[in-house]
Amino acid sequence: MPDASGPVATDLPPAVPLERRGTNRRVSTLLRRILLVNMLPPFLLGATLLYLDQYQNGLLAAEVQGLRTQARIYANGIAEAGVRIQDDRATLLPEVARPLLRRLTEPSPGTQAKLFDNNGLLVADSRVREGPGGAIVTEPLQPPEQPGPMASLLSRAYEMVLEWFPRPRVHGPAVVVDETPGAASFDWQPDLGPDRREELRLALEGGVNPYVRRTSDGRLLVSVAEPARRANQPVGIVLLTREAREVDQRVMEIRGSVLVLFAMALVLTVALSIYLARTLASPMLELAASAASMRAGKGRGGSVPAPLMERQDEIGILARALQSGTNALWARVDANERFAADVAHELRNPLTSVRSAIETLRRVENPEQQKRLLAIIAEDAVRMDRLIGDISDSSRVDAELSRSVAEPVDVAPILSTLVELHGATRGENDPVMEIDAPAKLVVRGVEGRLVQVFRNLLGNAVSFSPSNGVVRVRARLTGAMAEISVEDEGPGIPEAKLEGIFDRFYTERPSGERFGQHSGLGLSISRQIVEGLGGRIMAENRRNADGSIAGARFVVRLPVT
């Protein structure tokens, strides 16, 4: 019967301490990173609040254009109804222009109009009228609209934050807003007068630039000046000032809308981040705790929580892989323990024999008996040397295969060479080897270890074959695997031992073979090599037509390139 063994344990690397930093924090590092990444878009949305200047500039430009049109209408009305033509010369009539200017301004609350003559002197003011007895009455303007507490808070916060960021460059014609604390209110007027002829000339030609300012009481005021002309002659200048409340209202509405969207996006982002963290960070912490439990030697089979293993996502794949690795690790630990016990048992037998022979040798004086005892000691020493060599080879297989890179190996010439070598050294009654293999059969493996596998199988087949029997070697390609079989005509394998023959130190040998010639590790090492290369090895019995056992067959399947 062939010798065999099970998987051999190699030395495991020292345990690596589990990194526990972050596992006891209320907010995991992964959650903070998820929040940081997911909150970036809402903050970018909120940052748009800081860059509404382009929108505000457009509103102010439209406000200036509308106010210019209104001032031009007022100027044309005064030029038509408040001017007298005499000797082709147009003369402004203040007593007519004053009530006319006031009537023109009445439909526009929050608007003040002033009329200057050609010398830059104030002629009329829409807020000023003559009362009973010639008294001058100044009509108050609408008080500035007081924002609510929330609007005031948002406005102050906006202004404070805005100071930290660079102002974006405004494309198109810019409207400059005077933000100085001393910006003039409705009482502003251009620098006109007899001593400023150039400014007056420009004003009469329509060259006064619009003046936009933010007053200390929060009003946004826009002033424009338009000349009044009659028969191509300038008769005065109309200065129109209006509070641009709609501009502030629209900008505040945009800010409010963006803030609402920002708040909603922020809440949704935090909720989704927490959900994502619970599905990622929490399971990973559970897996880390499971790994720590495994390292501490707790929970052989169920270290990983079952809910994690039942998940169908990447976390589930990781959990199942961790549990599988744990099972394999414990299996390796158990195998090492069994291997150590088996080694101790196998070494104890020859050591016991040597000790008994030495104790007997001390008491025996007969030279013949001494020679026999010395021969026993020598045989046991050879046996122990062979056993220790096979044990060492078995313990190195896994580590060697993990370091070696599988390369294309043509097994056809290897099998042919082994068969030819047997034929060249075959004794008179030794079995004959026959081979049936293609000219080329390339697999992925390590050549030296494959040679070791095939030599073990052929050696076992020869040792169990009868005199002048036949050992057949067949190789063929089956799909993505190469199949190599070795058949003998021996007594076969007990059905109960078809798997057990691959266990370590299985040494049921043919009758007549001297004890101690084999270590019982040959097939165990062969299985280690084949499985380490991604293949499979199995044993079965050959049967005759009547169902009787005709011999044993070992089949090796290896992946092809």
Side-chain angles (χ1 to χ4, degrees):
M1 188 67 58
D3 59 342
S5 73
V8 175
T10 58
D11 293 337
L12 293 175
V16 179
L18 178 64
E19 181 61 61
R20 294 180 178 270
R21 291 179 298 176
T23 58
N24 57 350
R25 296 177 180 175
R26 296 179 65 87
V27 180
S28 69
T29 302
L30 184 58
L31 175 57
R32 290 198 299 272
R33 292 178 180 176
I34 292 174
L35 283 172
L36 179 62
V37 173
N38 288 347
M39 289 174 67
L40 182 59
F43 274 111
L44 290 178
L45 176 64
T48 58
L49 290 171
L50 306 176
Y51 296 94
L52 293 176
D53 289 5
Q54 184 73 31
Y55 177 70
Q56 184 176 9
N57 183 73
L59 293 179
L60 287 175
E63 184 73 15
V64 168
Q65 186 62 34
L67 196 59
R68 276 189 182 279
T69 302
Q70 187 175 356
R72 193 173 296 117
I73 293 173
Y74 290 3
N76 292 337
I78 290 174
E80 290 294 330
V83 174
R84 181 180 62 195
I85 303 296
Q86 185 177 4
D87 298 332
D88 295 331
R89 181 178 179 83
T91 304
L92 182 64
L93 300 176
E95 64 276 7
V96 178
R98 289 190 187 99
L100 178 59
L101 183 63
R102 189 167 56 252
R103 287 196 300 271
L104 289 172
T105 312
E106 283 178 357
S108 302
T111 303
Q112 180 183 9
K114 294 180 181 180
L115 178 62
F116 300 88
D117 62 12
N118 287 341
N119 294 320
L121 299 177
L122 181 61
V123 174
D125 189 338
S126 63
R127 294 175 55 201
V128 178
R129 64 181 178 85
E130 292 183 3
I136 303 300
V137 179
T138 302
E139 295 178 350
L141 291 168
Q142 289 182 349
E145 185 176 351
Q146 297 299 327
M150 183 60 66
S152 299
L153 179 62
L154 291 178
S155 180
R156 288 196 298 270
Y158 172 77
E159 296 298 335
M160 291 175 58
V161 174
L162 195 61
E163 295 177 357
W164 303 343
F165 292 86
R167 288 295 187 122
R169 189 170 66 180
V170 177
H171 301 282
V175 176
V176 179
V177 181
D178 184 1
E179 301 278 356
T180 59
S185 186
F186 283 93
D187 55 354
W188 175 82
Q189 64 185 49
D191 292 330
L192 304 175
D195 297 332
R196 306 186 68 87
R197 299 294 181 183
E198 184 63 23
E199 288 83 351
L200 183 59
R201 182 186 65 81
L202 292 174
L204 292 174
E205 293 177 356
V208 177
N209 291 326
Y211 178 41
V212 184
R213 68 274 192 193
R214 178 77 66 179
T215 63
S216 58
D217 57 1
R219 295 178 186 266
L220 180 62
L221 300 181
V222 180
S223 296
V224 297
E226 287 291 331
R229 297 175 181 274
R230 178 72 179 272
N232 291 328
Q233 297 179 30
V235 295
I237 303 168
V238 175
L239 176 65
L240 196 59
T241 301
R242 184 166 65 195
E243 184 178 359
R245 291 188 178 183
E246 291 186 358
V247 174
D248 281 341
Q249 291 174 353
R250 291 181 182 179
V251 172
M252 187 57 68
E253 289 173 359
I254 293 297
R255 292 178 186 172
S257 299
V258 174
L259 282 176
V260 170
L261 291 176
F262 169 73
M264 293 176 59
L266 186 60
V267 171
L268 184 61
T269 297
V270 172
L272 291 178
S273 299
I274 294 175
Y275 170 75
L276 188 60
R278 288 179 63 86
T279 58
L280 291 179
S282 298
M284 292 179 70
L285 291 178
E286 292 185 38
L287 291 177
S290 298
S293 176
M294 298 171 193
R295 187 165 64 94
K298 301 176 183 178
R300 280 177 170 258
S303 302
V304 180
L308 296 183
M309 297 181 61
E310 294 172 358
R311 292 177 55 157
Q312 299 303 315
D313 54 7
E314 288 76 4
I315 295 294
I317 295 174
L318 178 61
R320 290 188 289 273
L322 181 60
Q323 186 62 66
S324 177
T326 302
N327 295 339
L329 180 61
W330 281 115
R332 177 61 58 85
V333 171
D334 294 340
N336 285 344
E337 293 177 353
R338 290 195 302 270
F339 183 56
D342 293 342
V343 168
H345 175 74
E346 293 297 324
L347 288 177
R348 187 177 292 112
N349 291 334
L351 285 175
T352 301
S353 176
V354 169
R355 182 188 303 166
S356 299
I358 291 175
E359 291 177 355
T360 305
L361 184 62
R362 291 173 180 173
R363 299 191 300 268
V364 172
E365 297 180 358
N366 187 329
E368 293 297 327
Q369 292 181 347
Q370 290 179 347
K371 289 181 181 179
R372 286 198 298 273
L373 291 173
L374 290 173
I376 292 174
I377 293 173
E379 290 178 357
D380 286 337
V382 172
R383 178 185 171 192
M384 284 191 294
D385 180 69
R386 182 184 301 109
L387 183 62
I388 291 172
D390 288 345
I391 291 172
S392 176
D393 187 35
S394 176
S395 64
R396 289 197 309 268
V397 168
D398 284 343
E400 180 181 324
L401 290 178
S402 65
R403 293 192 299 267
S404 300
V405 178
E407 299 177 347
V409 178
D410 190 354
V411 297
I414 294 176
L415 297 174
S416 299
T417 300
L418 292 177
V419 171
E420 292 175 2
L421 182 62
H422 173 78
T425 58
R426 172 177 172 269
E428 182 178 357
N429 296 322
D430 289 345
V432 177
M433 283 191 184
E434 297 178 354
I435 184 171
D436 178 15
K440 186 175 183 180
L441 186 60
V442 181
V443 301
R444 294 194 63 81
V446 179
E447 184 174 0
R449 289 300 182 178
L450 289 178
V451 171
Q452 182 179 1
V453 171
F454 297 140
R455 289 186 62 180
N456 284 340
L457 297 180
L458 292 175
N460 280 325
V462 169
S463 64
F464 280 92
S465 293
S467 298
N468 297 316
V470 178
V471 175
R472 296 177 178 84
V473 181
R474 293 187 174 91
R476 60 174 182 164
L477 183 65
T478 58
M481 305 292 286
E483 183 178 281
I484 300 97
S485 64
V486 177
E487 302 176 354
D488 61 46
E489 296 179 344
I493 306 169
E495 294 294 333
K497 297 295 184 179
L498 287 176
E499 283 295 327
I501 60 173
F502 293 103
D503 293 339
R504 296 188 188 98
F505 305 112
Y506 185 91
T507 55
E508 184 175 341
R509 301 304 303 170
S511 59
E513 184 179 273
R514 188 170 56 181
F515 176 77
Q517 298 301 306
H518 295 273
S519 65
L521 290 173
L523 287 182
S524 170
I525 295 174
S526 297
R527 183 169 68 175
Q528 280 182 269
I529 295 172
V530 173
E531 292 181 352
L533 295 175
R536 184 183 177 191
I537 185 172
M538 64 191 73
E540 59 187 14
N541 285 317
R542 298 172 49 246
R543 296 188 179 275
N544 295 317
D546 58 0
S548 60
I549 295 177
R553 178 189 295 114
F554 287 86
V555 180
V556 175
R557 290 190 174 92
L558 294 168
V560 298
T561 56

